[in-house]
Each structure stands twice: as structure tokens, then as C-alpha cells.
Amino acid sequence: MARSMKVRTRSGDGGVEVLVLISHPMETGQRVDKQTKQKIPAHFIQKVVLEHNGKAVATANLGPGVSEDPLLGFQLAGGKNGDKIRISWTDNKGESGSTEASVNA
């Protein structure tokens, strides 16, 4: 299933703040479906990687405690307008996604 990602950048203290909104259910595996009375299988993002001009600069390891449609923020030191950023993620079911954007702070 294709999941959407939205990226925004803005100037901060000596760098650029990158905000990423990932559309993902982030199921913990603890909830029960009201109709079937069965547990809903765990489905959550495990890893998010931020690349700046082709170089990985940040990695976040996530777990089932993160809310649905997570909003993640990164501080990018030395970032400037026009720089390329790429954000990618993988989850516990093998799904993955990525998007690219330019810094427009």
C-alpha cells in the first residue's frame, strides 16, 4: 500500500529544521478489532533515515509506541537553500517508502 509523506523545511538556529509527516497506521499489536474480537497485528515503522546531499546524516529507530501518522523533526546543521534531502523508512512488515525534497527555508 502506497503511503504518503510530506516534508517541510524551515530555517532554525544555525541550520535547517526538517519536518516529515509519514502516513502509517503504527499498530502496536495490542489493540483488538471490535468486530472480529481478534488482535490487530503489529505494524509499525522501525527505521527512518535522513540523507543530506546523498549522505546519511541521521537515523531514527522507532517502535510500536509511536503514534499513528508520525511527525518527525530533524535539525540539519549547515543546511542551505537548494540542498537535496531524502527521507526513507522501513517497517516490521517489510514495507518501505521514501521521498526527496529540496531545502526551501
Side-chain angles (χ1 to χ4, degrees):
M1 174 181 216
R3 306 207 183 273
S4 68
M5 297 175 70
K6 294 180 182 176
V7 179
R8 286 194 179 168
T9 59
R10 64 181 173 195
S11 294
D13 293 329
V16 173
E17 181 180 35
V18 179
L19 296 173
V20 183
L21 177 65
I22 304 171
S23 173
H24 195 280
M26 299 300 286
E27 286 291 344
T28 65
Q30 301 299 312
R31 291 188 328 124
V32 175
D33 186 310
K34 292 178 182 176
Q35 294 179 345
T36 65
K37 308 296 184 203
Q38 299 290 318
K39 279 195 173 184
I40 299 171
H43 189 194
F44 56 88
I45 295 173
Q46 291 181 308
K47 189 173 191 177
V48 177
V49 177
L50 171 67
E51 295 177 29
H52 177 218
N53 290 331
K55 181 180 176 185
V57 294
T59 301
N61 294 311
L62 306 181
V66 177
S67 67
E68 180 180 357
D69 299 336
L71 176 64
L72 305 172
F74 299 90
Q75 290 292 328
L76 189 57
K80 59 185 182 297
N81 280 341
D83 285 357
K84 301 291 183 197
I85 56 174
R86 175 182 164 85
I87 298 99
S88 57
W89 60 266
T90 56
D91 70 17
N92 67 318
K93 289 189 170 184
E95 290 183 35
S96 62
S98 66
T99 190
E100 295 182 0
S102 295
V103 172
N104 188 13

